[in-house]
Amino acid sequence: MLNKTYTSSLEALHDVKDGAVIMFGGFGLAGIPQNLIRALYEKGTKDITVISNNPGSRLGDNEYGLAILFKAGRVKKYIGSYPTATKSFKELYDAGKVGLELVPQGTLAERIRARGAGIGGFYVKTGAGTLLAKDKESRDIKGEQYILEQPLGADFAFVKAYKGDFYGNLVYRYTGANFNPLMAMAAAVTIAEVEELVEPGMLDPNTIHTPGIFVKRILKGERYDRWYE
Amino acid sequence: MIAGMNEKEMAQRAAAEIRDGDCVNLGIGMPTMVLDFIPSGKTVFFHTENGLLGMGGFAQKGETHPDLVDAGKQPITCIKGASFFPSDISFAMMRGGHIDLAIMGAYQVSEKGDLANWTAPGMLPSIGGAMDIVAGIKNIIVMMSHTTRDGRPKIVRELTYPATGYGCVSMIITNLCVMDVTDKGLLLKELANGVSARDVLSATESSLIIPDTLS
């Protein structure tokens, strides 16, 4: 019987190798795969390329989420829209210790969606004529300038949902969806962590956000931190 | 140094541009203060790029949820009739021209309505959703201090900082005044209390169209 469940985050990461390109869902700390991030840190994987909206998040004097991977020097390159979200990224970047590909947020979402949907690229107005259009093909469409953007995929996508079932069907909550459903479609292997893992049939098929076809592995997250009072 | 409007008064002025039924994107920082100035008779859907149409106010202690935040990563609430969606749908709303209005901050605005608000020389750049917003939303209001902290004009002939978008700004609200970006140039529309057209001119690099009523 098909069962995609794993019993721990670390076990679900068994074949993640040094140098892997990994997408991480989440915006700020909302919808981040916090257990998979901690497990990847414990595993010691290095030379990672991180694709995520922000490289962790800062609250007061502390940094959370992906910041632990950056601080530990595990990340070779960051692809995302908001690198100034953490001081740790700035320090690494200023020291020349991490690469950066800056992508406008909507373009990031659409590039990931394009990879997942089998689309070879698309023209978009965002960034046309700016520094971020450098080296990109541009064309005039009905009197407006557009630039060509490429699809963006990864070896792994780590995503987080509120609920999921053994087949990998996922349901998100509040603003926790963000990049998760897009990244789930765009990687060779998608690993989902959920707060509640249920048997098939327990989720209403009308309300599934990510159909299980996109998810290879699923587990119940070991621990969910709350960052706000 | 002339003070003019404080941040709350600027937010209140920006809020007056919002019509009943509008869908409005608020930038992080000062523009979020606009939330506090919507008259009770108006239904307004505030959009946040991370996937919510119908943002309420900031969440109080005890009502926060780790998965419910705004674009500035602050815990928030949502109104009755709100909807949640993933990032591709959220940016389709903006890029596709479905959002009526965006209110955002800026480092510089040119007299042609070009906008710079994502990076400056020597700065680690961050872009977030700013370029997508100006590419798709037709009505962009910039809300900012009239000059930099050291007194240099932020309203300029040509941008000296890298552009976020070109010809995208429709209105500028500063502590000193309100301006419309028109085909003929920047039109001075209103002056803050205690501020003269001369004060605005001396704090602005670009030329201004000043109506007789304000000169």
Side-chain angles (χ1 to χ4, degrees), chain B residues 7-36:
Chain B
E7 292 190 351
K8 279 188 176 172
E9 290 165 329
M10 289 163 66
Q12 191 166 13
R13 179 61 191 84
E17 293 299 309
I18 299 173
R19 301 162 305 176
D20 190 30
D22 271 356
C23 295
V24 181
N25 180 279
L26 295 180
I28 58 179
M30 191 163 49
T32 58
M33 295 171 78
V34 172
L35 277 169
D36 296 334

Side-chain angles (χ1 to χ4, degrees), chain B residues 19-215:
Chain B
R19 301 162 305 176
D20 190 30
D22 271 356
C23 295
V24 181
N25 180 279
L26 295 180
I28 58 179
M30 191 163 49
T32 58
M33 295 171 78
V34 172
L35 277 169
D36 296 334
F37 294 102
I38 301 304
S40 55
K42 279 184 190 170
T43 304
V44 179
F45 291 92
F46 285 104
H47 174 262
T48 182
E49 64 189 16
N50 51 317
L52 164 60
L53 190 60
M55 177 169 56
F58 291 109
Q60 303 299 312
K61 274 186 185 175
E63 63 173 8
T64 66
H65 190 284
D67 282 345
L68 182 45
V69 299
D70 71 354
K73 287 97 176 176
Q74 298 299 310
I76 50 160
T77 60
C78 61
I79 63 168
K80 284 177 183 168
S83 54
F84 294 104
F85 34 81
S87 303
D88 60 331
I89 304 292
S90 186
F91 281 87
M93 288 179 188
M94 296 193 278
R95 218 192 294 103
H98 308 282
I99 302 284
D100 299 292
L101 169 66
I103 302 171
M104 61 204 308
Y107 300 154
Q108 286 182 330
V109 181
S110 84
E111 59 190 17
K112 294 186 288 291
D114 303 340
L115 171 71
N117 68 354
W118 67 285
T119 192
M123 201 174 156
L124 168 64
S126 256
I127 184 64
M131 279 191 187
D132 308 279
I133 289 170
V134 303
I137 301 177
K138 289 283 175 282
N139 193 3
I140 305 280
I141 296 178
V142 161
M143 196 179 149
M144 65 177 188
S145 60
H146 202 92
T147 56
T148 62
R149 272 187 207 128
D150 51 358
R152 281 177 297 128
K154 292 169 75 171
I155 302 172
V156 293
R157 284 190 198 90
E158 297 279 346
L159 299 180
T160 56
Y161 292 169
T164 308
Y166 298 96
C168 52
V169 176
S170 43
M171 179 183 265
I172 307 168
I173 299 173
T174 74
N175 51 315
L176 300 185
C177 65
V178 179
M179 294 177 186
D180 277 338
V181 181
T182 73
D183 295 342
K184 296 189 179 77
L186 296 175
L187 172 68
L188 188 62
K189 201 174 171 181
E190 295 160 28
L191 291 166
N193 273 339
V195 176
S196 70
R198 189 185 296 268
D199 296 330
V200 172
L201 271 172
S202 68
T204 306
E205 187 199 88
S206 58
S207 54
L208 298 178
I209 304 166
I210 301 173
D212 292 342
T213 49
L214 295 181
S215 60

